[in-house]
Amino acid sequence: GDYTGMDGAYPWSNVLIERRTDSGGWAQVAELGWDATSWRDRGISAGHRYDYRARSKGPGGTSDYVTMSGYVHTTPPSPSGCAAARASDASQRVTWSLAGNAAETHAGVAVERSVDGGGWVQIAKLGGTPTNYSDNGTLADHRYQYRVRSYSPNGLWSGYAASGYVYT
């Protein structure tokens, strides 16, 4: 469109972009030309929630902020320290740690199991920020291994963290 004022001048000279990481404070991350309509943020990393807002700057000062609708979640960081321990032939306990700001970046965790070196099967999808799971569906005389990965509120998945073997 024609963004010029009645005098033919542009009403602003720049667009200022600000970002907030994990509900922290706002910081300016870009200053774009007057006619910018989009911008790609290349300064983000896994395991965070980002909010954005913009305002224009011109000869008369700066405008009010326009806050972008919603927010962006990046891929959550992978769980760490996955370990499995035998509770009984019928039950194994799996534990792990969640990195980053878990409440902001993790919507839940999926637990997968491999029996005797076979393929992986998802046995649980847990909401929230759990750090353990009891697998009460195991049998005697088998070798079990577990792996976990987390997912973000917008459905992005982390990498896996795997346990050692548990023998029943």
Side-chain angles (χ1 to χ4, degrees):
D2 181 6
Y3 298 110
T4 59
M6 293 180 67
D7 61 357
Y10 297 112
W12 62 85
S13 57
N14 297 91
V15 176
L16 308 176
I17 307 292
E18 294 186 4
R19 175 180 65 211
R20 177 171 61 183
T21 304
D22 297 330
S23 302
W26 291 97
Q28 184 176 320
V29 291
E31 184 169 342
L32 311 173
W34 74 271
D35 59 347
T37 58
S38 66
W39 174 72
R40 179 174 293 186
D41 190 350
R42 298 185 189 278
I44 61 175
S45 59
H48 296 285
R49 172 188 158 164
Y50 296 99
D51 297 285
Y52 295 90
R53 66 184 183 184
R55 63 183 174 165
S56 60
K57 178 174 91 170
T62 55
S63 70
D64 291 337
Y65 288 103
V66 173
T67 301
M68 310 309 163
S69 61
Y71 48 83
V72 175
H73 278 279
T74 58
T75 303
S78 299
S80 62
C82 183
R86 181 178 182 276
S88 70
D89 284 346
S91 180
Q92 314 311 314
R93 179 118 171 118
V94 185
T95 59
W96 59 88
S97 296
L98 295 176
N101 185 354
E104 293 282 343
T105 59
H106 300 272
V109 175
V111 181
E112 297 181 6
R113 173 180 67 200
S114 173
V115 181
D116 297 327
W120 293 97
V121 175
Q122 183 175 305
I123 57 172
K125 187 173 181 182
L126 311 169
T129 56
T131 57
N132 63 77
Y133 176 75
S134 291
D135 180 8
N136 297 317
T138 61
L139 302 170
D141 299 319
H142 290 283
R143 181 182 71 174
Y144 293 94
Q145 186 178 22
Y146 297 88
R147 68 183 187 182
V148 296
R149 65 181 180 160
S150 60
Y151 58 93
S152 68
N154 61 350
L156 297 174
W157 289 91
S158 74
Y160 289 99
S163 73
Y165 296 105
V166 175
Y167 296 91
T168 58

